Amino acid sequence: MLTIQNLLKNVYCYIKNISKKSYRNCAVLVSGFSVFAMVSLNTHGFGGAGKNRSVVECSNMQGAKGEIQSENSEQESVAAIGDFASSCKQAIESEQSKMKEAREAEIQKREVTAVCASVEPVHNEMQQLPVNPYGDISISEEDYEALLRIVQAEAGGEDEQGKILVAEVILNRVLAEDFASTVSDVIFEKSGGSPQFAPTADGRYYSVEVTGSTVEAVEKAIHEEDLSQGALFFSARRRANPYDMAWFDRNLTWLFQYGGHEFYTLP
């Protein structure tokens, strides 16, 4: 009996120290354990006095047999309780292991999220930095006025980006070694006796009225990101001379088309 009582006491102390989150998983096991313990204890009752004693006092052989059976029953009860306690302990340890793994997974997830959050702003900041190659170009008032007029004449019907692209072709030529070194000289430059930009020959350059949207586009072309991919030529294929377009296609590298213009660079 003392062995059973000590075992029950140890099991109780172990269950008492488990976390609250494990109670639900062990509730059924504890209930079954309690019922099993009560049944086991009832099988080992105490004999009374008087008339009951005469029933208990049997022959030596029967008493020895009963003692052996009682001892075997107690051993079986202890073994069963030990198995039950072992099962309960395994269930508790399994639950605690799962909880530990869940906590470790959550901690790892938070660490990865924190690292990504610290890296992403730097990545976005690098992508958002404008690349403007025109900061070293010296633009006089005369150059600025000429740039406004040629953009209005060549791209007056285009949207803002279409105007920016035309302005950047002029600025790209200023930076290139194959063309003149100032905005005004680029605009009025000739090749083989022919003007590079038709509005300077047909009068549109002088007759246009520069709009506010053109001024904004030119400002963005000068001070913000280069959208032209380094283009040095542009042409409106639908309005251009077929012989001129044949020369473009044969001697230049096509880059892209935007609006009514196709943009090219040197091969």
Side-chain angles (χ1 to χ4, degrees):
M1 288 297 296
L2 291 176
T3 302
I4 296 175
Q5 290 177 357
N6 289 333
L7 182 58
L8 292 176
K9 184 177 179 180
N10 291 333
V11 173
Y12 170 76
C13 291
Y14 184 83
I15 294 175
K16 183 180 178 181
N17 293 326
I18 66 175
S19 63
K20 293 182 179 181
K21 291 185 178 179
S22 300
Y23 286 161
R24 293 193 299 268
N25 297 328
C26 293
V28 176
L29 295 176
V30 173
S31 299
F33 179 84
S34 300
V35 173
F36 185 87
M38 292 177 64
V39 172
S40 176
L41 290 175
N42 287 335
T43 61
H44 300 282
F46 296 93
K51 295 180 180 180
N52 291 334
R53 185 170 184 176
S54 62
V55 177
V56 176
E57 294 177 349
C58 299
S59 63
N60 293 334
M61 185 178 296
Q62 290 177 344
K65 183 178 180 181
E67 185 177 352
I68 294 173
Q69 290 178 346
S70 176
E71 184 178 353
N72 291 337
S73 177
E74 182 175 348
Q75 291 177 353
E76 291 176 356
S77 299
V78 171
I81 292 173
D83 293 340
F84 182 80
S86 178
S87 299
C88 184
K89 182 178 179 181
Q90 290 177 359
I92 294 170
E93 291 177 348
S94 177
E95 178 65 19
Q96 290 176 341
S97 177
K98 291 180 180 179
M99 292 170 59
K100 183 178 179 181
E101 291 177 357
R103 287 195 300 268
E104 291 177 351
E106 181 65 22
I107 292 173
Q108 185 177 8
K109 180 180 179 181
R110 291 179 181 178
E111 290 177 350
V112 172
T113 302
V115 171
C116 293
S118 63
V119 172
E120 184 176 0
V122 176
H123 179 68
N124 290 339
E125 183 178 355
M126 292 177 63
Q127 285 186 331
Q128 293 172 359
L129 289 176
V131 179
N132 179 265
Y134 311 124
D136 294 334
I137 297 178
S138 177
I139 301 179
S140 65
E141 293 185 6
E142 179 184 357
D143 290 333
Y144 187 74
E145 178 67 21
L147 187 57
L148 291 176
R149 287 189 169 277
I150 197 62
V151 170
Q152 185 69 49
E154 290 280 13
E158 300 288 331
D159 62 11
E160 182 178 81
Q161 184 167 335
K163 294 178 180 180
I164 290 174
L165 291 171
V166 168
E168 288 178 343
V169 167
I170 307 297
L171 298 174
N172 290 339
R173 286 194 175 196
V174 174
L175 294 176
E177 295 181 356
D178 299 306
F179 300 93
S181 58
T182 68
V183 171
S184 295
D185 289 343
V186 164
I187 292 172
F188 289 96
E189 190 172 16
K190 295 183 178 181
S191 177
S194 299
Q196 292 288 290
F197 298 96
T200 61
D202 60 24
R204 285 182 293 142
Y205 171 86
Y206 302 98
S207 63
V208 295
E209 293 184 5
V210 178
T211 63
S213 62
T214 297
V215 174
E216 292 179 2
V218 169
E219 285 292 323
K220 290 182 178 181
I222 295 173
H223 301 292
E224 295 187 6
E225 183 178 3
D226 174 21
L227 304 178
S228 70
Q229 302 180 29
L232 296 171
F233 301 84
F234 66 87
S235 181
R237 185 176 293 270
R238 291 180 299 177
R239 300 193 303 268
N241 186 310
Y243 296 102
D244 292 339
M245 289 309 307
W247 183 89
F248 271 61
D249 294 334
R250 185 172 59 254
N251 296 283
L252 301 177
T253 299
W254 188 90
L255 293 176
F256 61 91
Q257 179 176 352
Y258 186 87
H261 290 119
E262 296 178 36
F263 293 84
Y264 299 78
T265 189
L266 293 172

